[in-house]
Amino acid sequence: MSSNTPRQPVRDLRFFLTVPHSCSYLPGKEATTLFLDPKETPGQSVYDALTLLGFRRSGQHLYRPHCDGCNACISVRIPVDDFVPNRTQRRLMRRNADLEIQVLPAQFSSEHYDLYARYICTRHHDGDMFPPSHEQYRTFLSLDQPWARLMEFRLQGELVAISAFDELQHGLSAIYTFFDPSEHFERRSLGTQAVLALVQRAINQGLPHLYLGYWIEECRKMSYKRAFQPLEQLDGRQWRRMIGSS
């Protein structure tokens, strides 16, 4: 058993399975999701334990894929002390050195929502999150918990990106990032910059990992995660270095 096995048992918690539904990532596939009973109010230690078992948070829900006959969704994380930015990432950090970063509680802000709505309408107008709404945003990204945080990125006072993340005992968990979709900011690769900023925050806080959620080899939208090396993947109950990961 890996040393990363959670100390607190979760066997007394109630879990449910959704009915099969269309997979959001692989066309023609059906997906089933295992999620913690919404009536449960898990504390920090339970959330930490479930994250080590591959669970993610969306709004108030903790979940992980549980698909019959498919294991395409792989939980991945960056061991931040071993992370070495590549040449492109180093260049990007220099380019974005003028960004101002501030970390805030995960509370609703009309300024944040306006940026979110522009991002969804431009980048994901054909996805499940379109059209955006205040209720959708609040349900997804606003949470009154001390470990739920938002990282703001501003350029000369202008809001250009938000990264929602959680602070765990054994790392940070990246929840969702959205940014100014205009062509003016394309060269800044703000999504990648957000991951780099979270890596640095984890290092500064003495936390060993940054959890990036799920990686699917066949999903082009997730290919960016392989650019962060090395990566670890959850293999059953053990976290192992991914094959081909430096």
Side-chain angles (χ1 to χ4, degrees), residues 36-95:
L36 180 65
D37 184 350
K39 295 180 181 179
E40 298 276 0
T41 54
Q44 178 80 65
S45 60
V46 169
Y47 185 15
D48 289 348
L50 290 177
T51 300
L52 288 173
L53 295 174
F55 279 75
R56 295 278 293 156
R57 181 177 71 83
S58 177
Q60 298 184 29
H61 300 290
L62 298 179
Y63 72 94
R64 75 177 184 189
H66 193 82
C67 304
D68 186 22
C70 180
N71 296 307
C73 291
I74 299 173
S75 295
V76 294
R77 69 185 185 184
I78 302 171
V80 298
D81 288 338
D82 295 336
F83 172 71
V84 178
N86 59 33
R87 181 181 302 177
T88 299
Q89 291 163 346
R90 292 195 299 270
R91 186 185 311 120
L92 187 62
M93 288 188 288
R94 291 193 296 269
R95 186 178 300 154

Side-chain angles (χ1 to χ4, degrees), residues 6-18:
R7 297 178 182 178
Q8 179 171 342
V10 296
R11 60 180 176 269
D12 295 331
L13 298 173
R14 288 165 56 94
F15 296 87
F16 295 94
L17 283 174
T18 65

Side-chain angles (χ1 to χ4, degrees), residues 199-226:
V199 167
Q200 189 58 55
R201 182 174 178 83
I203 292 172
N204 293 345
Q205 293 187 331
L207 297 171
H209 302 108
L210 172 62
Y211 292 83
L212 294 181
Y214 303 115
W215 172 76
I216 300 176
E217 185 174 9
E218 298 176 42
C219 182
R220 183 180 57 82
K221 292 181 179 179
M222 294 187 180
S223 61
Y224 75 92
K225 297 180 182 183
R226 288 303 301 261

Side-chain angles (χ1 to χ4, degrees), residues 172-191:
L172 302 181
S173 179
I175 303 299
Y176 193 72
T177 296
F178 55 95
F179 48 84
D180 192 318
S182 62
E183 294 181 2
H184 176 69
F185 292 104
E186 281 189 359
R187 292 186 68 252
R188 288 184 176 268
S189 299
L190 292 170

Side-chain angles (χ1 to χ4, degrees), residues 12 25 81 119 129-131 139 154 160 186 190 194 240:
D12 295 331
Y25 303 107
D81 288 338
Y119 174 78
M129 300 170 71
F130 181 85
T139 301
R154 293 182 181 271
V160 296
E186 281 189 359
L190 292 170
R240 305 178 186 275

